[in-house]
Amino acid sequence: MPEAYIYDAVRTPRGRGKPDGALHEVSTLGLATTALRAIADRNNLATETIDDVVLGCVDPVGEAGGDIARAAALAADYGIRVPGVQINRFCASGLDAVNFAAAQVMSGQHDLVVGGGVESMSRVGIGASGGAWPMDPAIAVKSYFMPQGVSADLIATKYGFSRDDVDAYAVESQKRAGAAWGEGRFARSVVPVRDVNELILLDRDEHMRPETTMQSLGSLKASFAEMGEMGGFDAVAVYAHPDVERVNHVHHAGNSSGIVDGAAAVLVGSKEAGDRAGLKPRARIRAFANIGSEPALMLTGPVDVTKKVLARAGMEIGDIDLFEVNEAFAAVVLRYLQAFGLDPAKVNPNGGAIALGHPLGATGAMILGAAIDELERSGQSTALVTLCIGAGMGTATIIERV
């Protein structure tokens, strides 16, 4: 079976997902086009050699609707024969898009594929695409539907994470992200977003608050207490997990992932395709996996899928040098650390979505690129990238530096 190599990874900066955010004036198409054009230009690609473009997008409606991948490929001046497909596995869409690209290469059906993702959360509101899961009692009841924030608070309650624990994790994420930018660790991957006059709109992640302290977070009110208590979701949580007497609400805006805009692109191909294009591989994809997890806890999928992907790769947790675990909520990463007994220094060493933001469809591809950059910077060999997913799922990918 052919191996799949990663030749390059780029991303836009993350802009605050609000009307006053720096990227609000840029359409979803514009963000995706920026990433696709950058991956082609900096690798001097003859774009007609690209067999497919696979982009994740979680709310593919309105300007992000239709097939945003094909539209972005055309807008980025790729050859007209380059097709595109949009996929959605909620928060793991961007990583799964890269995995889909790798699968095309590993099957021998395609030679060179761009995977990635895009989300403009300031322009297409979160949840804009609707769906049966939260709305139809036929599935909402049997899956113990509750908002993700309540599920995160359930995880914190069940596994013993206090408000101080989740706040301390958030402070550390902010410090790490600030240090990473200060040391130029993102310089290789981040490409600026420009306006129609080629003036730079944003060239640095906008959501960060490296000055965050325990005191500043302590002043924030728990975000999901009211919907849990008044909306009846706490009762759902306790019914699903009767070992929990009541839900302790500890998450808020400061220890949860930020709402942001952004896009990412990852170039994946066979060894032969890379040789023909004069490209040097940066990493090899060793294994990837998806899994369903308990839907009421919902966000513990990274633990389950890590076990699955390690078994598929014939590896153990100690064989992994670096972990990128999406910081959807602080308790997600704390549970991951707890489950595997990991050294916190090995997980998200440059901060994560709490500090940098979580542009839903793009995040997976972004943190995969961050893992490659960090492996090269640190001289380490292997990384595992994973994300929790709505409705109870997990996706993970293991890469090895070349």
Side-chain angles (χ1 to χ4, degrees), residues 334-360:
L334 291 176
R335 173 56 190 152
Y336 194 87
L337 290 165
Q338 181 189 69
F340 295 110
L342 294 173
D343 178 356
K346 297 175 66 173
V347 180
N348 303 343
N350 298 309
I354 290 172
L356 300 169
H358 177 20
L360 304 178

Side-chain angles (χ1 to χ4, degrees), residues 2-224:
E3 291 189 307
Y5 291 89
I6 297 174
Y7 289 99
D8 202 7
V10 302
R11 70 170 177 92
T12 68
R14 298 165 169 98
R16 281 184 292 111
K18 298 180 179 180
D20 62 350
L23 298 181
H24 178 64
E25 70 179 70
V26 183
S27 68
T28 305
L29 177 63
L31 292 173
T33 300
T34 297
L36 292 187
R37 188 170 287 150
I39 205 80
D41 289 349
R42 62 193 246 157
N43 292 286
N44 297 312
L45 287 179
T47 58
E48 62 271 13
T49 64
I50 298 172
D51 292 305
D52 205 359
V53 173
V54 187
L55 293 183
C57 185
V58 174
D59 281 301
V61 295
E63 68 177 46
D67 182 351
I68 192 67
R70 169 61 171 170
L74 291 172
D77 298 319
Y78 282 26
I80 61 170
R81 294 186 180 276
V82 179
V85 61
Q86 175 268 326
I87 67 167
N88 182 6
R89 200 189 298 273
F90 295 150
C91 296
S93 299
L95 183 60
D96 241 350
V98 179
N99 293 342
F100 277 41
Q104 292 176 339
V105 172
M106 295 164 77
S107 69
Q109 302 307 303
H110 286 165
D111 298 320
L112 205 59
V113 185
V114 176
V118 62
E119 210 80 41
S120 176
M121 300 180 76
S122 71
R123 296 170 63 94
V124 181
I126 186 170
S129 57
W133 170 47
M135 303 298 295
D136 189 335
I139 183 58
V141 173
K142 72 187 299 182
S143 65
Y144 305 105
F145 170 78
M146 63 190 85
Q148 286 193 357
V150 178
S151 286
D153 287 338
L154 174 61
I155 291 169
T157 305
K158 187 177 180 73
Y159 293 104
F161 306 129
S162 68
R163 171 68 182 259
D164 281 352
D165 291 334
V166 292
D167 281 359
Y169 182 84
V171 169
E172 182 63 19
S173 179
Q174 293 283 0
K175 287 182 178 177
R176 291 184 182 188
W181 268 107
E183 296 173 14
R185 296 187 185 184
F186 300 130
R188 179 167 184 177
S189 295
V190 175
V191 294
V193 179
R194 301 174 184 271
D195 65 13
V196 294
N197 297 312
E198 291 298 310
L199 299 176
I200 292 176
L201 293 172
L202 188 66
D203 60 3
R204 181 183 175 88
D205 293 318
E206 191 179 26
H207 182 74
M208 291 189 307
R209 293 180 176 86
E211 71 282 359
T212 298
T213 64
M214 291 291 288
Q215 289 72 28
S216 63
L217 292 185
S219 67
L220 299 177
K221 180 181 178 181
S223 296
F224 308 104

Side-chain angles (χ1 to χ4, degrees), residues 186-392:
F186 300 130
R188 179 167 184 177
S189 295
V190 175
V191 294
V193 179
R194 301 174 184 271
D195 65 13
V196 294
N197 297 312
E198 291 298 310
L199 299 176
I200 292 176
L201 293 172
L202 188 66
D203 60 3
R204 181 183 175 88
D205 293 318
E206 191 179 26
H207 182 74
M208 291 189 307
R209 293 180 176 86
E211 71 282 359
T212 298
T213 64
M214 291 291 288
Q215 289 72 28
S216 63
L217 292 185
S219 67
L220 299 177
K221 180 181 178 181
S223 296
F224 308 104
E226 186 171 343
M227 67 175 65
E229 296 163 6
M230 303 300 291
F233 294 111
D234 280 3
V236 175
V238 172
Y239 182 78
H241 289 268
D243 56 312
V244 174
E245 291 187 14
R246 64 179 183 84
V247 177
N248 181 26
H249 292 283
V250 296
H251 288 93
H252 50 74
N255 57 34
S256 307
S257 55
I259 295 173
V260 294
D261 306 331
V266 179
L267 181 62
V268 180
S270 66
K271 182 67 166 59
E272 293 74 18
D275 288 344
R276 287 195 299 269
L279 301 173
K280 181 180 178 181
R282 298 178 63 188
R284 177 172 69 94
I285 295 179
R286 289 194 58 162
F288 52 84
N290 297 291
I291 203 168
S293 62
E294 205 278 310
L297 284 176
M298 193 188 310
L299 307 173
T300 54
V303 174
D304 301 323
V305 78
T306 291
K307 297 174 183 177
K308 182 177 181 179
V309 77
L310 286 170
R312 186 173 296 279
M315 302 174 72
E316 298 180 354
I317 197 76
D319 297 325
I320 304 298
D321 298 319
L322 167 71
F323 298 83
E324 283 287 339
V325 183
N326 187 40
E327 296 175 353
F329 300 89
V332 172
V333 187
L334 291 176
R335 173 56 190 152
Y336 194 87
L337 290 165
Q338 181 189 69
F340 295 110
L342 294 173
D343 178 356
K346 297 175 66 173
V347 180
N348 303 343
N350 298 309
I354 290 172
L356 300 169
H358 177 20
L360 304 178
T363 304
M366 287 184 169
I367 63 175
L368 179 67
I372 296 170
D373 285 343
E374 182 61 19
L375 287 179
E376 292 174 342
R377 187 195 71 83
S378 64
Q380 295 175 306
S381 296
T382 57
L384 190 152
V385 180
T386 185
L387 301 93
C388 59
I389 308 171

